[in-house]
Amino acid sequence: MTAYLLRRLLSLCLSLIAASLVIFLVMEMVPGDPASFMMGLNADPAAVAALRSQLGLDAPLPLRYLGWVAGLLQGDFGVSYTYRVPVSELIAERVVISLPLTLYALTLSTLIAFPAGIIAAARRNSFADFSVMGATQFGVAIPNFWFAMILVLIFSINLRWMSAGGFPGWEAGFGSAMKALTLPAIALALPQASILARVMRSSLIDTLEEDFMRTARAKGLSRSQALWRHALRNALIPVLTIIGLQFSFLLAGGIIIENVFYLPGLGRLVFQAITQRDLIVVRSVVILLVFAVIVVTFLVDLAYAAVDPRLRRHRQ
């Protein structure tokens, strides 16, 4: 198991190095000059050149890459071109909104999907199964930004139960902050719950048809007992994969929902940085999200071994 962990950690490091190189080169190929954008169209070329030198944009490409990576290893993400404050401060201000929103949405998605998928699998080809599958098809088909606007129309404009947008800050109280995140979390959770429920149903149906399940039934276990004691745990491996992917997607892909609800999270920060040509912010946030994706994938892989003892024996 130790050798396996070391191999996975090496793979994680190599993936991060490759991702950092790709992200840096892609940002460099984006048309437009941040210094020219900051100074304006009619700026004096000498002033633009001076600003480029001040920002370090005139250094050779390899040196700039190595300097950026060296800063990342020390926790220094650089200074924002637009806000003139450390990027780490901007990220810290926004991640305290995006991360709780992601966890909130993922929790809602899991709480909805698990019972729905289990019921659909346990009562295959019944009215309950058809109802769950129909609802999940509906959930997958609905764009989350459209669903977000419907939620605002119903709960904010008509019923006036929730705020239509904005975030009061955690200093306003945990309840107030979570209330502001509820509608965005529901909008994010619905499509993910639909996908997860379908995967849960499919995986559980496949497991119920395995030989060991027939053996369990032959030993006197009812279908329900066999499902809860044996089938559910074995069906979790593909489900864990989807949960890991959903966490990464929700953290990185909440930009539209954050803009619909005017939430000052990472997604909105990236959107504003792109429009302002603040490429160092874009670069830093993207590498942070890539790091989160890789780490979550690593943790999910470890969870496989906890769920399935056969994988532990194989990796030892």
Side-chain angles (χ1 to χ4, degrees):
M1 194 65 178
T2 302
Y4 168 75
L5 288 175
L6 291 176
R7 288 196 302 271
R8 292 297 298 156
L9 287 173
L10 178 61
S11 175
L12 186 150
C13 294
L14 293 176
S15 299
L16 282 175
I17 292 171
S20 67
L21 185 59
V22 170
I23 291 167
F24 183 84
L25 293 177
V26 169
M27 290 296 103
E28 289 300 315
M29 289 188 292
V30 172
D33 178 32
S36 300
F37 182 85
M38 294 169 65
M39 296 294 292
L41 296 176
N42 300 319
D44 181 45
V48 174
L51 181 59
R52 283 182 57 82
S53 178
Q54 180 184 352
L55 297 176
L57 297 175
D58 57 346
L61 199 64
L63 290 180
R64 287 165 55 196
Y65 171 73
L66 292 175
W68 177 57
V69 172
L72 291 178
L73 293 175
Q74 300 173 22
D76 181 11
F77 292 87
V79 178
S80 166
Y81 300 153
T82 302
Y83 301 102
R84 307 305 299 157
V85 298
V87 177
S88 57
E89 292 184 8
L90 293 175
I91 293 175
E93 291 173 358
R94 307 302 181 98
V95 77
V96 296
I97 299 173
S98 292
L99 184 58
L101 175 61
T102 297
L103 295 174
Y104 194 1
L106 190 64
T107 300
L108 291 177
S109 172
T110 304
L111 291 176
I112 295 170
F114 269 54
I118 292 171
I119 290 172
R123 302 179 182 180
R124 186 180 181 185
N125 295 328
S126 68
F127 175 76
D129 183 20
F130 293 138
S131 298
V132 169
M133 288 299 98
T136 57
Q137 187 65 42
F138 181 72
V140 170
I142 293 180
N144 57 10
F145 67 88
W146 181 84
F147 184 55
M149 291 186 286
I150 295 299
L151 290 176
V152 169
L153 180 64
I154 295 174
F155 293 101
S156 300
I157 298 177
N158 292 337
L159 298 178
R160 298 185 180 180
W161 290 354
M162 302 281 191
S163 171
F167 186 72
W170 294 105
E171 61 275 7
F174 181 79
S176 298
M178 293 303 290
K179 185 178 180 181
L181 295 179
T182 296
L183 291 184
I186 293 173
L188 286 170
L190 178 67
Q192 305 308 316
S194 302
I195 295 170
L196 190 58
R198 297 177 76 88
V199 172
M200 185 74 201
R201 174 188 179 273
S202 177
S203 179
L204 201 50
I205 287 175
D206 290 341
T207 304
L208 288 171
E209 295 176 351
E210 294 286 346
D211 291 339
F212 73 89
M213 290 301 299
R214 285 191 284 270
T215 302
R217 293 293 306 277
K219 289 182 177 181
L221 292 180
S222 67
R223 181 178 175 84
S224 177
Q225 289 173 328
L227 185 150
W228 287 103
R229 294 185 187 180
H230 301 287
L232 186 58
R233 182 171 181 175
N234 286 276
L236 283 179
I237 291 180
V239 176
L240 288 174
T241 302
I242 297 301
I243 290 176
L245 292 174
Q246 287 187 346
F247 175 83
S248 305
F249 172 78
L250 291 170
L251 184 60
I255 179 171
I256 297 177
I257 297 300
E258 287 184 3
N259 278 278
V260 169
F261 289 96
Y262 298 100
L263 294 176
L266 285 177
R268 197 143 190 257
L269 175 63
V270 171
F271 178 78
Q272 292 170 337
I274 291 173
T275 59
Q276 296 166 349
R277 304 290 303 157
D278 202 344
L279 299 184
I280 193 169
V281 173
V282 179
R283 208 160 56 199
S284 299
V285 174
V286 171
I287 193 63
L288 183 65
L289 294 176
V290 168
F291 176 75
V293 170
I294 294 174
V295 170
V296 168
T297 303
F298 174 72
L299 294 177
V300 168
D301 202 35
L302 294 182
Y304 289 166
V307 171
D308 193 339
R310 295 171 297 179
L311 295 176
R312 285 202 298 270
R313 288 194 294 270
H314 175 70
R315 287 163 179 172
Q316 287 173 354

